[in-house]
Amino acid sequence: MTILSANKVSVRYPGQARPALAGVSLAIGPDDLTVALGPSGCGKTTLLNLFAGFVQPDSGTISFAGQPVTGPGAERAVVFQHDALLPWLNVRDNVAFGLRLQGVAKAERLARADEVLRLVDLPEAGGRYSWQLSGGQRQRVGIARALASHSQVLLMDEPFGALDAFTREQMQELLLKVWQQARRRIFLITHDIEEALFLATELVLMSPGPGRIVETLRPGFSQRYRDGESARAIKSDPAFIALREQLLTTLFDHRRQAEEIAA
Amino acid sequence: MNALENTLEQKLAAVAASKPVPDEIVPDPAVLRSGWWAQYRRGWLSLLSLITVLGGWWGLSHSGIVPPLFLPSPEAVLAKLVTVSTQGFMDATLWQHLAASLQRIVLALAAAVLLGIPLGVLMGVSPVARGLLDPLIEAYRPVPPLAYLPLIVIWFGIGELSKVLLIFLAVLAPVIIATSHGVAQVSRNRLRAAQTLGASRSQLLWFVILPEALPEILTGIRIGLGTGWSTLVAAELVAATRGLGFMVQSAAQFLVTDVVILGIVVIAVIAFALELGLRLLQRRLAPWHGQQD
């Protein structure tokens, strides 16, 4: 069953010549980790903001469980790239924040926070503050917070874009583990081709001018990771590298076309 | 350089062992270079400049170049502190003068905070409120309080109300401006994150906007208190019988220079203590302020 979908949505920001998104349709299926990949300006952030309810489409519809999305809601939690934890709360209270807003009793919500912190491999960090954590730890807290409040879909806005290469790899593996254990639909946007190929069950390739989906594929590498193969082995597999180069070529082709149209 | 290589090696080792990299806490090299001088260098320098000024004062007043009428010696002022504290000056002891001034400041501050924070929040979240209120605040804020003091006296008389009102107006503007600035600067991602966790509008205000604006609000109160103290003397020009500003003014009229200096020093010490207290409060309530996040 499709729970979150975009149906022929278009968005044009005021003062922009081209639409940020033109006639995009996408459905996030059950047990899917959908990744939207594309260069800046391809509309992937706009698509995520539409799903989250931060932006409304000019035409077309966004629906969640059959109902149109009109604004942000607790069933669609967002993990941001940075700046989204509350620095005046410690890690536990940050993770329990959504439950506090919903009026869950203190003991219950803190117990839930500890449980989710164990899931993201941060069992000891509950009493610390976001400004005492490293970038990778902060993103884990962000993921834990999104999981704690019983959201049904995780929308991830370039969650590992600001991390160094080592930490990014660790976080990708952690995300696959969390996704498997928490059984949550995930929609993630990134401009990192390797990341998209490694994580996605469904990969949506997007291109700018106007922002649109140019290709959809199911790479299947995350399944191999779940079956026990190591991340490095997968990423250095010739099949992985060939697909990476193919995607890169497709993206460059589309970019050239867009530039020719613009000129 | 060595430390940098170390952390890189640690990282590589940690990656090889596929363990999370431990948090790197790099101590400030100035703290590592321990020793009584290096550790508290700024404090020592501050002490040095204070001692220099006091020493200069003592030397000048004892040299006989400047008559005591113009510059009484530090000991004379200290002696005056004792007599004014016990016997009083102009029918009130130093503590009664101080209490009268503090009462005015505290009343004005409380009123300015109670009115200024809601108005500032309103201006920060609503462009309409900002459009309406901004010109009013910007119009009166740069005018020196002494300029509108006569008008306040015509409207509200020479009682306690006028004095408190004058200080209140001086404190109000910085509190409103800092609050609206702090509120307008709240991170969009934090607001959005709270919204996707189910926050209502009032929850956004109480759980995100106000805590995030708190350091700015406290800065506004600090600046407001500063201007409040400088307005105090002006406020106590108006038919006051008590207060530090009144004490200094009347002492000046009778050329009791040591009481003038005593009053100035007391005002400086109190204002400095309040400033330090607020800074401490700011550090306690908003330890994240100035930290990268």
Side-chain angles (χ1 to χ4, degrees):
Chain A
M1 192 196 82
T2 301
I3 194 155
L4 186 60
S5 64
N7 188 17
K8 297 200 188 82
V9 287
S10 298
V11 174
R12 185 197 291 266
Y13 294 116
Q16 297 281 315
R18 287 153 179 278
L21 275 182
V24 168
S25 295
L26 178 66
I28 315 247
D31 297 324
D32 254 339
L33 201 168
T34 306
V35 178
L37 168 70
S40 54
C42 73
K44 58 187 190 301
T45 306
T46 303
L47 188 55
L48 185 131
N49 285 342
L50 283 166
F51 281 143
F54 300 143
V55 172
Q56 294 300 317
D58 294 329
S59 65
T61 50
I62 301 286
S63 51
F64 177 81
Q67 297 295 315
V69 167
T70 54
E75 67 286 343
R76 288 161 284 125
V78 180
V79 178
F80 295 89
Q81 188 177 53
H82 49 68
D83 235 21
L85 297 177
L86 307 178
W88 50 92
L89 297 181
N90 67 22
V91 165
R92 269 176 116 203
D93 288 333
N94 259 293
V95 174
F97 186 62
L99 299 172
R100 179 177 169 197
L101 294 175
Q102 290 159 27
V104 175
K106 189 167 187 174
E108 190 185 334
R109 64 175 192 250
L110 290 183
R112 171 79 182 144
D114 286 340
E115 182 189 317
V116 185
L117 281 172
R118 275 195 297 277
L119 184 65
V120 297
D121 294 340
L122 275 183
E124 308 296 327
R128 301 173 71 190
Y129 288 85
S130 62
W131 35 275
Q132 297 169 321
L133 303 177
S134 67
Q137 289 171 324
R138 264 181 231 157
Q139 287 315 87
R140 285 184 221 201
V141 177
I143 293 170
R145 183 175 65 179
L147 290 172
S149 57
H150 303 288
S151 53
Q152 296 183 46
V153 183
L154 251 57
L155 303 170
M156 307 186 75
D157 186 358
E158 305 204 27
F160 313 136
L163 304 177
D164 65 84
F166 298 123
T167 314
R168 197 180 308 157
E169 290 237 8
Q170 290 172 359
M171 291 299 293
Q172 290 165 3
E173 295 184 43
L174 179 97
L175 182 67
L176 286 180
K177 186 193 101 177
V178 166
W179 170 65
Q180 194 174 3
Q181 289 184 11
R183 302 199 62 78
R184 223 56 76 88
R185 293 168 184 81
I186 294 179
F187 175 70
L188 181 146
I189 65 172
T190 181
H191 55 246
D192 182 331
I193 299 183
E194 274 203 9
E195 180 168 285
L197 271 178
F198 179 64
L199 293 175
T201 60
E202 176 161 282
L203 199 164
V204 182
L205 201 61
M206 295 184 74
S207 180
R212 64 202 188 281
I213 293 174
V214 293
E215 203 177 324
T216 304
L217 61 155
R218 299 187 75 87
F221 296 108
S222 58
Q223 184 57 47
R224 281 169 59 180
Y225 179 78
R226 286 198 284 169
D227 292 341
E229 209 171 326
S230 84
R232 275 316 340 154
I234 294 168
K235 288 185 182 178
S236 55
D237 185 320
F240 187 95
I241 293 167
L243 198 50
R244 189 186 74 195
E245 295 309 308
Q246 189 194 319
L247 286 181
L248 205 53
T249 311
T250 312
L251 283 174
F252 274 125
D253 284 349
H254 279 285
R255 185 183 195 151
R256 201 175 314 119
Q257 281 171 19
E259 279 168 3
E260 278 164 14
I261 293 166
Chain B
M1 198 59 218
N2 211 349
L4 206 75
E5 281 162 14
N6 270 342
T7 57
L8 194 61
E9 273 169 25
Q10 280 169 8
K11 269 186 187 173
L12 286 169
V15 169
S18 78
K19 265 192 239 146
V21 183
D23 222 29
E24 296 146 34
I25 298 162
V26 184
D28 183 358
V31 176
L32 284 181
R33 234 189 302 119
S34 63
W36 60 272
W37 172 255
Q39 215 169 341
Y40 301 104
R41 200 171 68 162
R42 249 187 68 192
W44 288 116
L45 287 173
S46 303
L47 196 66
L48 187 72
S49 75
L50 256 179
I51 289 171
T52 310
V53 169
L54 280 175
W57 176 16
W58 185 86
L60 206 60
S61 57
H62 281 268
S63 66
I65 305 170
V66 186
L69 176 66
F70 292 107
L71 189 69
S73 67
E75 312 92 274
V77 172
L78 205 64
K80 211 63 182 182
L81 171 68
V82 177
T83 52
V84 176
S85 311
T86 49
Q87 294 158 26
F89 181 79
M90 300 298 281
D91 301 326
T93 65
L94 179 63
W95 311 118
Q96 285 167 325
H97 286 303
L98 179 61
S101 290
L102 273 179
Q103 195 192 342
R104 286 172 193 136
I105 288 265
V106 167
L107 270 176
L109 180 71
V113 165
L114 284 179
L115 188 71
I117 292 178
L119 280 181
V121 169
L122 207 61
M123 283 175 69
V125 295
S126 152
V128 176
R130 176 163 220 106
L132 288 173
L133 292 172
D134 203 46
L136 299 181
I137 293 162
E138 287 305 326
Y140 99 81
R141 188 183 61 91
V143 180
L146 271 178
Y148 50 77
L149 177 61
L151 191 62
I152 288 180
V153 171
I154 292 170
W155 284 350
F156 300 100
I158 54 169
E160 212 43 29
L161 177 65
S162 291
K163 300 180 188 62
V164 174
L165 199 63
L166 189 73
I167 304 170
F168 161 77
L169 283 172
V171 183
L172 183 66
V175 171
I176 292 182
I177 291 168
T179 305
S180 74
H181 191 244
V183 168
Q185 273 198 321
V186 167
S187 142
R188 193 179 66 173
N189 278 0
R190 282 193 194 115
L191 287 174
R192 285 182 160 184
Q195 281 180 312
T196 68
L197 293 168
S200 64
R201 282 180 71 89
S202 68
Q203 283 177 323
L204 280 184
L205 177 67
W206 288 107
F207 292 142
V208 182
I209 295 173
L210 280 177
E212 183 154 350
L214 183 67
E216 287 262 3
I217 295 174
L218 287 172
T219 302
I221 293 175
R222 263 169 59 194
I223 296 170
L225 256 183
T227 51
W229 274 106
S230 33
T231 315
L232 179 76
V233 178
E236 290 176 349
L237 277 173
V238 190
T241 52
R242 266 179 201 181
L244 290 173
F246 160 76
M247 187 182 92
V248 173
Q249 287 295 334
S250 42
Q253 279 165 10
F254 296 107
L255 286 179
V256 193
T257 316
D258 39 12
V259 173
V260 172
I261 292 180
L262 175 66
I264 292 170
V265 170
V266 170
I267 290 176
V269 167
I270 300 288
F272 185 61
L274 279 174
E275 165 79 12
L276 277 188
L278 270 170
R279 273 193 217 174
L280 204 69
L281 192 70
Q282 198 166 15
R283 222 172 303 151
R284 275 300 274 284
L285 291 178
W288 69 89
H289 195 52
Q291 304 269 358
Q292 71 153 91
D293 181 55

